[in-house]
Amino acid sequence: MEEKKGFVDWIKYKMKVLSVSDRHFFTFIWVVAIAVSLLTVGISASVIASGEKKEAERIEQEAQAKKQAEEEAMIASLNDARARKASITDAESWKLVLVNLNHPLPDGFKINEFTDLVNGHKVDKRMYEDLQRMFDDARAQGQNPSIAASYVDPMDTGSVGSPCALDHTTGLAIDVVSSAGEEDQENLIKWFDEHAADYGFIFRYPDDKYSITGVREAHNHLRYVGVDAAKEMKESGECLEEYLDSY
């Protein structure tokens, strides 16, 4: 009887040990599982963070490369513009001669041939074709252009009242008026403002450039500079002094 009781107690003891062992085992497994999960999460977060950092670096590198390319393109464009202007100056310097109170006619300046116009006016023959084409097109569009002033001999500039007389010594300047009368003058000037550059002419003395040119209220004074230069000046808003100084 004692032997049977001892065996039963031994069985109970073994079951108790096994139960305790199981709890320790499952606790160990649970701890390991949590540790593995945390490690996995940590690794994943590290991988994600590393990926995000690399993506941010890639985006930054692309942005810097794009910025650098844009800056290089802008510099190339400016260089092309300077080269184009320099080419215009070299090839067509006669069109861009600058005459003002600070710049007299260059030594040896000479107009080889004039074209005589009505009312005793005359201009450098080299610009006459574009002048005639401009006047023809203006008349075809209902305008009434007429020339009030043209070439002035350098010897006569002292007796001419117009402050822009010096520019007339180039043979490339004219003052335009409407033959339809003063009431039509504003409409005529508006037409030239819109179209003159297409024929190589600019308004030589814009009022807002008085501090540079020293001339104001010469609203009808047109100057021939050639089509390329005229269009560039109209687009940039530069007067002749500014345009030549920008080379």
Side-chain angles (χ1 to χ4, degrees):
M1 186 71 178
E2 288 295 330
E3 183 179 347
K4 184 176 180 181
K5 182 179 179 181
F7 177 75
V8 171
D9 290 338
W10 180 81
I11 292 296
K12 288 180 178 181
Y13 170 75
K14 289 296 183 182
M15 291 296 293
K16 183 178 180 180
V17 171
L18 182 61
S19 177
V20 171
S21 299
D22 286 346
R23 284 200 303 272
H24 284 280
F25 175 75
F26 286 117
T27 299
F28 172 76
I29 294 299
W30 181 75
V31 170
V32 170
I34 291 176
V36 170
S37 298
L38 292 175
L39 181 61
T40 301
V41 171
I43 293 174
S44 298
S46 177
V47 171
I48 292 172
S50 177
E52 290 177 347
K53 182 179 179 181
K54 288 182 179 179
E55 180 65 14
E57 290 175 348
R58 183 187 66 81
I59 293 174
E60 177 65 20
Q61 289 174 352
E62 289 181 352
Q64 290 180 353
K66 182 179 179 181
K67 183 179 179 180
Q68 182 177 355
E70 290 175 347
E71 290 176 349
E72 291 175 351
M74 181 179 68
I75 293 173
S77 178
L78 290 174
N79 288 336
D80 288 344
R82 292 190 183 100
R84 185 169 64 255
K85 283 187 176 183
S87 176
I88 291 172
T89 302
D90 292 341
E92 305 178 355
S93 58
W94 65 273
K95 299 177 183 178
L96 297 173
V97 60
L98 176 64
V99 185
N100 55 34
L101 294 176
N102 298 317
H103 293 84
L105 280 173
D107 292 338
F109 177 84
K110 182 181 179 180
I111 300 173
N112 293 323
E113 191 172 358
F114 288 98
T115 294
D116 292 324
L117 308 174
V118 297
N119 299 325
H121 295 296
K122 61 183 180 180
V123 294
D124 188 318
K125 184 178 181 179
R126 292 171 291 184
M127 57 91 85
Y128 173 70
E129 183 177 347
D130 285 332
L131 172 63
Q132 187 61 55
R133 188 165 56 90
M134 180 172 67
F135 270 44
D136 288 344
D137 289 349
R139 293 184 178 113
Q141 296 180 37
Q143 302 300 321
N144 300 282
S146 180
I147 295 178
S150 58
Y151 172 74
V152 173
D153 190 298
M155 299 299 293
D156 297 333
T157 55
S159 61
V160 177
S162 170
C164 55
L166 290 173
D167 197 49
H168 283 284
T169 64
T170 64
L172 303 172
I174 58 171
D175 291 351
V176 293
V177 294
S178 173
S179 59
E182 188 65 29
E183 65 277 3
D184 191 52
Q185 182 72 7
E186 183 177 346
N187 188 42
L188 178 69
I189 296 302
K190 182 179 179 181
W191 188 93
F192 280 119
D193 184 52
E194 294 176 354
H195 302 287
D198 295 332
Y199 306 90
F201 289 83
I202 60 168
F203 280 101
R204 177 69 179 86
Y205 302 110
D207 280 346
D208 63 347
K209 301 297 181 180
Y210 169 69
S211 62
I212 300 172
T213 65
V215 177
R216 58 160 49 116
E217 296 184 0
H219 304 144
N220 63 337
H221 183 100
L222 290 175
R223 164 63 191 270
Y224 185 73
V225 294
V227 174
D228 291 336
K231 288 185 174 180
E232 287 193 2
M233 277 186 266
K234 182 174 178 60
E235 182 177 351
S236 67
E238 296 173 309
C239 63
L240 184 58
E241 282 84 355
E242 291 174 309
Y243 181 76
L244 293 175
D245 189 52
S246 67
Y247 285 114

